[in-house]
């Protein structure tokens, strides 16, 4: 399988369901998914938390405007390999299959520069802000067969003809 070189950034007001959406999606990946809340986890010298991950979810994790770490994040998104450093052990290089999803309440959702190809940014709708009943029903549906149905849909969907080198619009 080829790596998709895009990260998803979802921005929107508090209570719109950004985190709920991503956390439900993470359930499909089990231990191969991890949530972080600090960009240092991604750019730290000791980055073993990234080993064997398929999905990394950053909740308000990266948007400080830190130019120094932009290059590191770009590399994590698009490189086919990942150098992993464990404390007190040698650094190893492994295949990089990580996909990233970031959520934020801020207007600036991602370190996107002119011509950037690594980011797909979505704005979350506001129709269901703080609608606990709606999100509760969604969670219940997922627990009662929804995860199986979603996994089946994702596994059977033919995306072979999609050109993943182009940012989706």
């Amino acid at each position: 399988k080829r790596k998709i070189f895009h990260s998803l950034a979802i921005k929107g007001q508090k209570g719109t369901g950004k985190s709920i959406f991503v956390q439900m999606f993470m359930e499909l990946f089990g231990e191969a998914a991890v949530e972080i809340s600090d960009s240092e986890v991604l750019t730290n010298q000791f980055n073993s938390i990234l080993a064997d991950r398929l999905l990394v979810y950053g909740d308000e994790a990266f948007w400080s405007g830190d130019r120094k770490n932009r290059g590191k994040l770009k590399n994590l998104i698009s490189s086919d390999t990942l150098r992993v450093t464990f404390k007190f052990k040698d650094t190893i290089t492994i295949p990089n299959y990580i996909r990233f999803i970031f959520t934020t309440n801020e207007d600036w959702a991602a370190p996107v520069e002119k011509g950037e190809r690594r980011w797909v940014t979505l704005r979350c709708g506001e129709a269901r802000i703080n609608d606990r009943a709606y999100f509760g029903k969604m969670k219940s549906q997922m627990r009662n067969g929804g995860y199986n149905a979603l996994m089946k849909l994702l596994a059977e969907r033919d995306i072979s003809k999609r050109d993943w080198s182009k940012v989706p619009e």
Side-chain angles (χ1 to χ4, degrees), residues 58-96:
D59 185 19
E60 301 288 351
F62 209 88
W63 317 134
S64 64
D66 181 0
R67 295 189 68 78
K68 175 184 134 204
N69 289 321
R70 282 187 193 180
K72 291 179 182 180
L73 181 59
K74 287 179 181 182
N75 183 266
L76 284 171
I77 292 168
S78 59
S79 179
D80 286 326
T81 59
L82 175 66
R83 291 183 51 82
V84 178
T85 304
F86 297 83
K87 280 190 175 182
F88 310 114
K89 294 187 178 181
D90 290 336
T91 298
I92 60 171
T93 301
I94 61 174
N96 178 9

Side-chain angles (χ1 to χ4, degrees), residues 33-45:
V34 65
E35 179 177 346
I36 62 162
S37 59
D38 184 351
S39 66
E40 292 295 318
V41 172
L42 297 178
T43 60
N44 193 348
Q45 175 186 355

Side-chain angles (χ1 to χ4, degrees), residues 90-149:
D90 290 336
T91 298
I92 60 171
T93 301
I94 61 174
N96 178 9
Y97 298 112
I98 301 173
R99 277 51 171 200
F100 293 90
I101 301 176
F102 297 94
T103 59
T104 186
N105 301 324
E106 302 297 325
D107 288 332
W108 192 54
V112 178
E113 300 163 342
K114 186 175 181 177
E116 183 59 68
R117 66 185 195 284
R118 292 177 180 92
W119 292 96
V120 176
T121 305
L122 305 174
R123 180 173 297 281
C124 194
E126 299 177 6
R128 299 290 185 170
I129 288 180
N130 297 321
D131 188 340
R132 295 191 190 285
Y134 174 81
F135 293 117
K137 287 178 186 175
M138 184 185 298
K139 288 177 182 179
S140 176
Q141 180 183 26
M142 293 305 288
R143 284 190 303 267
N144 292 297
Y147 286 113
N148 291 338

Side-chain angles (χ1 to χ4, degrees), residues 4-76:
I4 298 171
F5 301 115
H6 310 298
S7 281
L8 181 61
I10 305 171
K11 61 184 182 175
Q13 299 299 313
K14 295 175 185 174
T16 56
K18 301 177 302 294
S19 296
I20 290 171
F21 163 75
V22 179
Q23 289 166 352
M24 285 187 206
F25 199 71
M26 287 177 66
E27 286 289 322
L28 298 175
F29 293 89
E31 293 293 317
V34 65
E35 179 177 346
I36 62 162
S37 59
D38 184 351
S39 66
E40 292 295 318
V41 172
L42 297 178
T43 60
N44 193 348
Q45 175 186 355
F46 302 110
N47 61 350
S48 60
I49 193 170
L50 300 178
D52 301 322
R53 301 297 181 179
L54 295 175
L55 178 62
V56 173
Y57 166 40
D59 185 19
E60 301 288 351
F62 209 88
W63 317 134
S64 64
D66 181 0
R67 295 189 68 78
K68 175 184 134 204
N69 289 321
R70 282 187 193 180
K72 291 179 182 180
L73 181 59
K74 287 179 181 182
N75 183 266
L76 284 171

